[in-house]
Amino acid sequence: MPTVPKEDTARRPRVLVLGGGFGGIGAAQKLKKSDVDVVLVDKHDFHTFQPLLYQVATALLEESAVGHPIRDLLHKQDNIRFHQDRVTSIDLDARRVTFAELEPQGYDYLVLGLGAEVNFFGVEGAAEHAFPLYTLPDAERLKGHVLTNWEEVDRRPTLAEDGALNIVVVGGGPTGVETAGALAELYEGDFHKKDYPDIPRESARIVLVEAGPDIFPMFKENLRTYTVEALTKRGVEVRTGEVVAAVSPTRVTLKSGEVLPAHTLVWGAGLQGNALVQSLGLDLERGNRIGVDEELRIPGHPEVFAVGDIAAITDKKTSQVLPQLGSVALQSGEHVGETIAQLAAGKKTKPFHYRDKGTMAAIGRRAAVVQMLAGRTMKGTKAQLTWATVHLALLPTNEARAKAVVDWTGAALTHQRPDRITVDPEEGREPVGAQRPTSKERS
Ligand SMILES: Cc1cc2nc3c(=O)[nH]c(=O)nc-3n(C[C@H](O)[C@H](O)[C@H](O)COP(=O)(O)OP(=O)(O)OC[C@H]3O[C@@H](n4cnc5c(N)ncnc54)[C@H](O)[C@@H]3O)c2cc1C
C-alpha cells in the first residue's frame, strides 16, 4: 500500500488533480476535510456536463445550465486552489507536471482526470469538417452552424437543394441517438413551422448512420426496436450497416459509394483517451485508456490514480471494462479522493466497487429508454422521467438543476427553443472597410 514519502512527513501532502470533469471534481471534493493541500488544474474555467451538450447544440438549454464555473464548485473548500491552464506534459518518474503557463508542479499524489477526446478513426475530411459533440465550444459551434444554415437558406432557397439543411449524424450509441432525436424535434417543432414557414420540410433531412447492424447495441432488443420506431416517428432516417468513408463541407460519402448531400455531419462515433496518455510510457488499453488496479492506481506508480474516461477500470462483478459514463467518472473520482484522504491519515484503503444505476438515454419528448442492472427495462414517458431524475442528480449545483427544469418544462409545454440565437464574438472587430464573407462567397 502506498504511503506519504518519509522525507516529506513534516509538511502536508500535496495532491495534484488534473481535469475538472466528473472525475477530477469528485476526487477534489472528497478531500475537503483531509489534511492535504489540493491543486486542481483544468484548461477551462468551467466544469462541463457532457450528457446534456446535445441540448445546448439544439437550443433547448442555455450554456450556463451545462457549463458551471469550477471555482464555484470549490467555494466551500479551504484546502484547494484552482488554476485554469493546459497540461502540456507529465513526468511520472520525476513527479512533475508542466503547463502552458503555470510553473511546473510537483506532487505527492496525482489524480489523472483529463477525460477523453474524439476519435475520427482516420476518416477522410472528418477532423476538418465534422462537428464533434464533446465540449461546450463543440455544442455552441454546432448550434451556430445549424442556425446559420437555416438563415442562409432563407436568403437563398436554392441552397436547400444542395443539402444545406440536411444533417448526417454518425454513431448509433447514446451521443448519436440523443443528438439525432433532439435535432429532429428542433426541425419538427415551431422552429421550422413558425420561424421558416416558406422552407419545405422535406428539404431538411436528418440521417443517422451506424456501422454495426443495430443502433444502441448496449440495450435489449425491445428497447432497440422502440428507439428505431421513436426516431423514425420524429423523421430521422436510420441507416445501419453503413460506414462513413469521407466528409467534405457539403457531402458525406458512404463506403458503399452512396453520396449524401449534407452541409452538417455530427460525429458521435468514438472516443479515445486524452492524447497526453501517449507520453506516459505506459502500455495502454483499448481506446488509449490507462489500465488501473482495483484501487484505481496506475501500473508502477502507486501514488498516481486515473479516474473517469481516461481510465480502463475493470468491474469486479462482470470482469468487463466499465463504459465511459458520468456515473463511472464521478464514483471513481470520489473513490480516489477517499483513498488519498485515508492514505494521508495513515489509514487502510478499500478497492473500488462500481454501483450501476442502469443505462439510459433520451430520444425526445416523452421518449427514452432505461435498462436496469437486473434486466428490467422501461421506455416512453416513465423512462424519460427516470432519465431526467438521474441527470438532475448528476448536475453539479441546485442552480444548474433549476435552469434545466425551467428550460425542459418550457420546451415540453410550448415546444419553444429559447436559446436559438447566434452571437458572433468577433462582430464589430473587423478593421474599418473589411467585410465578413457572405454565404455566396463561401460556397
Ligand atoms: C455527448 C455526450 C453525452 C453523454 N451522455 C451521457 C449520459 O447520458 N450519461 C452518462 O452517464 N454519461 C454520459 N456521457 C459520458 C460522460 O459525460 C463522461 O463519461 C464524463 O464526462 C467523463 O468524465 P471525466 O471527468 O473522466 O472527463 P471530462 O468530463 O471530459 O473532464 C475532463 C476535463 O479535463 C480537462 N482537460 C482535458 N485536457 C486537458 C489539458 N491538456 N489540460 C488541462 N485540462 C484538460 C477538460 O477541460 C475537462 O474539464 C456523455 C458524453 C458525451 C460526450
Side-chain angles (χ1 to χ4, degrees), residues 79-414:
N79 64 349
I80 193 163
R81 290 295 176 268
F82 169 71
H83 303 291
Q84 182 188 359
D85 204 356
R86 191 166 50 81
V87 180
T88 51
S89 71
I90 302 165
D91 185 336
L92 295 177
D93 293 328
R95 293 193 184 191
R96 205 174 113 102
V97 177
T98 53
F99 303 88
E101 291 184 49
L102 274 175
E103 285 295 306
Q105 306 269 322
Y107 57 83
D108 297 302
Y109 299 108
L110 177 67
V111 182
L112 298 171
L114 293 166
E117 54 190 40
V118 177
N119 187 352
F120 291 111
F121 300 107
V123 169
E124 187 189 325
E128 298 83 5
H129 308 300
F131 286 82
L133 202 47
Y134 198 66
T135 64
L136 205 42
D138 288 343
E140 286 293 335
R141 204 175 301 123
L142 175 61
K143 181 180 83 172
H145 178 75
V146 171
L147 295 179
T148 303
N149 284 352
W150 280 81
E151 292 299 346
E152 291 191 341
V153 170
D154 175 62
R155 294 191 293 272
R156 290 174 60 204
T158 51
L159 272 175
E161 289 156 30
D162 191 53
L165 302 179
N166 295 346
I167 301 179
V168 174
V169 180
V170 194
T175 302
V177 169
E178 291 188 328
T179 308
L183 285 165
E185 287 199 339
L186 174 73
Y187 273 26
E188 276 301 305
D190 287 355
F191 170 70
H192 175 236
K193 287 187 199 127
K194 295 191 179 163
D195 286 358
Y196 304 98
D198 299 327
I199 298 178
R201 172 66 184 89
E202 58 278 10
S203 61
R205 291 167 65 194
I206 293 172
V207 185
L208 177 65
V209 177
E210 162 58 40
D214 286 305
I215 61 165
F216 271 176
M218 66 291 280
F219 287 105
K220 287 186 164 183
E221 196 179 344
N222 65 325
L223 297 185
R224 294 204 295 264
T225 309
Y226 168 81
T227 304
V228 174
E229 285 167 7
L231 286 172
T232 310
K233 201 171 131 197
R234 284 165 175 75
V236 177
E237 300 168 39
V238 179
R239 309 276 302 266
T240 51
E242 298 272 16
V243 176
V244 170
V247 187
S248 79
T250 57
R251 295 289 179 271
V252 176
T253 307
L254 303 180
K255 214 170 174 184
S256 61
E258 188 181 352
V259 178
L260 302 170
H263 290 203
T264 311
L265 176 122
V266 181
W267 193 267
L271 296 175
Q272 57 189 342
N274 189 300
L276 280 165
V277 299
Q278 309 267 18
S279 60
L280 295 177
L282 301 171
D283 289 331
L284 298 174
E285 303 281 326
R286 194 162 164 252
N288 281 343
R289 289 155 83 183
I290 307 170
V292 288
D293 67 12
E294 58 178 17
E295 296 201 28
L296 310 179
R297 296 171 301 202
I298 74 171
H301 293 275
E303 73 287 0
V304 183
F305 300 81
V307 298
D309 279 5
I310 204 171
I313 305 169
T314 303
D315 188 0
K316 279 183 87 178
K317 277 188 230 126
T318 62
S319 301
Q320 302 283 319
V321 172
L322 289 168
Q324 285 162 303
L325 286 176
S327 46
V328 175
L330 186 62
Q331 287 181 36
S332 60
E334 289 183 344
H335 182 84
V336 161
E338 284 164 357
T339 299
I340 295 173
Q342 290 289 98
L343 291 171
K347 293 185 183 161
K348 272 185 143 181
T349 57
K350 288 190 226 145
F352 174 64
H353 290 285
Y354 176 58
R355 295 177 302 284
D356 189 344
K357 298 200 174 119
T359 310
M360 56 198 73
I363 303 154
R365 210 177 293 119
R366 289 188 286 280
V369 288
V370 174
Q371 186 168 298
M372 310 307 279
L373 189 59
R376 211 178 126 221
T377 60
M378 275 188 262
K379 51 187 195 279
T381 309
K382 209 171 155 194
Q384 198 191 20
L385 287 175
T386 307
W387 175 92
T389 309
V390 168
H391 282 75
L392 284 176
L394 269 175
L395 276 165
T397 63
N398 285 334
E399 194 193 350
R401 285 181 201 113
K403 274 185 188 142
V405 169
V406 168
D407 286 348
W408 289 344
T409 311
L413 295 178
T414 66

